[in-house]
Amino acid sequence: MFVTTAPTAEKNRINKAERTAAPVLTGAEIFIESLVKEGVDTIFGYPGGALIGLYDYLYKNNQLRHLLVTHEQGGAHAADGYARATGKPGVVLVTSGPGATNTVTGIATAFMDSIPLLVFTGQVPSNMIGNDAFQEADILGITRPITKHSFLVRDVADLADTIHKAFHIAVTGRPGPVLVDLPKDMLAAKTTYFPSKNIDLPGYKPTVKGSFRQVRNAAGLLQSAKKPVIYVGGGAILSNAAKEVTEFARKLNAPVTTTLLGLGIFPETDDLSLGMLGMHGTWYANKAVDDCDLLIAIGARFDDRVTGNLKKFSPHSKKMQIDIDPSCIGKNVPVDLPIVGDIKTVLAELNTCVESCDSSEWLQEIAQWKIEHPLRYREIEGSLKPQQVIEALSKATKGNAIIASDVGQHQMWVAQWYQFTQPRSHLSSGGLGTMGFGVPAALGAQVGKPDRTVIGIVGDGGFQMTSMEIATAVRYNIPVKYVILNNGYLGMVRQWQQIFFDKRYSNTHLNPTNPDFKKLAESYGAFSLRVKNIEELHDAFDKMLAIDDRPVVLDVWVSPEENVFPMIPANGSFADILEGNE
């Protein structure tokens, strides 16, 4: 996306009295004042030479809480987790060069999942840009494909305006990360400070209200359906539309399936819930999508992990799609009835005219599928199954914790076996599939939601990518909890090697070189326990949930070669689903 970076017209509306009273501030001071005006309370950051003046001002000023992370990638993921859990934009502040480039994975993660993230990067002085100066990197060029927009501040007089524009772009329309590059001299320079009044960006006018005609057409289409399925994605959570989605489902009397990022938008304890669909979704969710006559996509983009073979995806259905991003409409799957608009706004209007469809026989058929094809696993005495761990955790927390999962098998087991009942309770890297996301994202979520129990579920592979952020949690006494499902493998890749590559386990076996995770956590100052059986597990959960003054790490040893089922192979369809033998 491209928007103009020219100063907006509100500066011309500053009257004489305001100009006389306006203070003269440095760029560093303007930076802080602008963030405070935007309602920011927390920055995840890491200092360096290009930002040393700004950090000096942070030292003198207590308007914002700054958390020193242990690695810039961790800072980006922590800000991302904060944003997903709170609904407010996350803010990360890093220095130039490697500080900036270390955020790239975190920016791409947020971009793929449409998370509002403000990334402020230090830069070499303006007159040195392009001269290969020490710790110079063209971070705008590097991140242009993975940001919603980016800015380079070239005049301190534009700094406040630029920051307010950045926040506006990040949180409106389809949210996303915005980067602001801050040359060192712009932070030291002084100018008269005028906070922006109204942001008006020519060419950037996201559609919020859906077409009246299309909403009325949708009501008619819904009424005629006999076998509808509501398919909800992360866009509905970003729109804060849980109430509207639930009302819509119950008024229509239609079953609800969600994507990985849509988990929690509709209570999974409800009889209408089908759980997650797609590659590792429930058998009955995928069967319902395969057989339905109307598929209603709400804030979902028909991702390849959901559709598999596009030619065979939901072959008997008409398709309706509601999304705020017009570029997502029909991008992967042609739709019969599109509605562009904010999910919450569109559903609020649609709910005023929707009526229950004749779906009683359909719901009875689905109820029978749930009995015949449930999620299942086989317990083995003396061994812990990973599904067993997640199921026990769901019961121990009554489904009320915020769960931040990393990426891999454990991510799918969380989606299958933890019963989410609230939005913004499941945080995971969906689009990019970023290993290392879980540890810092859980930390950020705990910072943003200090009164909630936050638990990071991670694998032994992903944990080692960002485990250093345990130090950050200890530094600030953040009581975030972590459960490592330790199977000694890069589990998801190993599963594919087993099923599709004749058990040739190429570079996926992590033992015997895995560290002692209990000792590692304790060396940082966290509380830690090792768990090897179900009796130890229940006791460990009780202890973990009781600790509220420091992080907790549970090293849980699980069956090393357990697989995630159901499974639809890549580019497959429901006809190819594998249920496993558990």
Side-chain angles (χ1 to χ4, degrees), residues 402-413:
I402 294 174
I403 304 295
S405 66
D406 209 88
V407 170
Q409 286 181 311
H410 64 278
Q411 179 188 35
M412 296 298 104
W413 285 316

Side-chain angles (χ1 to χ4, degrees), residues 180-351:
V180 180
D181 206 19
L182 304 168
K184 187 174 183 179
D185 55 320
M186 292 297 105
L187 296 172
K190 292 184 177 183
T191 190
T192 306
Y193 171 56
F194 300 110
S196 293
K197 291 184 176 180
N198 299 297
I199 298 297
D200 182 18
L201 298 174
Y204 179 65
K205 306 290 181 186
T207 300
V208 174
K209 187 175 175 61
S211 160
F212 176 83
R213 176 182 293 180
Q214 288 297 81
V215 170
R216 292 301 177 269
N217 289 342
L221 184 62
L222 295 168
Q223 190 65 40
S224 65
K226 302 291 185 185
K227 299 164 70 173
V229 170
I230 302 170
Y231 149 49
V232 192
I237 290 178
L238 295 171
S239 179
N240 297 312
K243 176 178 175 292
E244 289 75 15
V245 167
T246 301
E247 181 182 350
F248 177 70
R250 290 178 177 157
K251 277 193 169 184
L252 187 61
N253 198 30
V256 179
T257 185
T258 71
T259 65
L260 178 70
L261 296 185
L263 289 166
I265 191 69
F266 185 80
E268 293 186 66
T269 52
D270 194 290
D271 288 342
L272 290 175
S273 174
L274 298 173
M276 186 177 72
L277 82 163
M279 180 175 281
H280 291 294
T282 63
W283 188 97
Y284 39 86
N286 284 303
K287 175 65 172 172
V289 169
D290 196 59
D291 280 8
C292 69
D293 63 3
L294 177 62
L295 185 61
I296 307 147
I298 301 175
R301 57 188 174 89
F302 294 96
D303 177 74
D304 62 281
R305 300 294 93 171
V306 164
T307 63
N309 188 322
L310 288 171
K311 294 181 180 178
K312 298 179 180 180
F313 175 71
S314 193
H316 314 295
S317 67
K318 290 186 176 180
K319 296 172 182 68
M320 170 180 159
Q321 187 178 9
I322 307 171
D323 204 288
I324 197 166
D325 184 355
S327 72
C328 280
I329 300 287
K331 179 172 68 174
N332 296 324
V333 173
V335 295
D336 301 280
L337 199 155
I339 302 178
V340 177
D342 172 62
I343 303 299
K344 186 179 182 72
T345 304
V346 171
L347 284 183
E349 184 175 0
L350 193 55
N351 283 337

Side-chain angles (χ1 to χ4, degrees), residues 454-508:
V454 180
I455 303 171
I457 310 294
V458 297
D460 46 330
F463 179 76
Q464 293 182 81
M465 291 189 173
T466 50
S467 61
M468 72 289 289
E469 297 307 334
I470 300 296
T472 307
V474 170
R475 184 180 296 123
Y476 297 103
N477 300 314
I478 299 169
V480 60
K481 293 98 170 61
Y482 296 101
V483 177
I484 305 172
L485 295 187
N486 185 351
N487 62 7
Y489 282 102
L490 298 177
M492 187 59 84
V493 183
R494 184 212 56 77
Q495 175 171 334
W496 280 56
Q497 289 172 337
Q498 176 188 332
I499 297 172
F500 303 113
F501 295 90
D502 198 26
K503 295 186 178 181
R504 292 188 294 276
Y505 295 162
S506 175
N507 294 284
T508 48

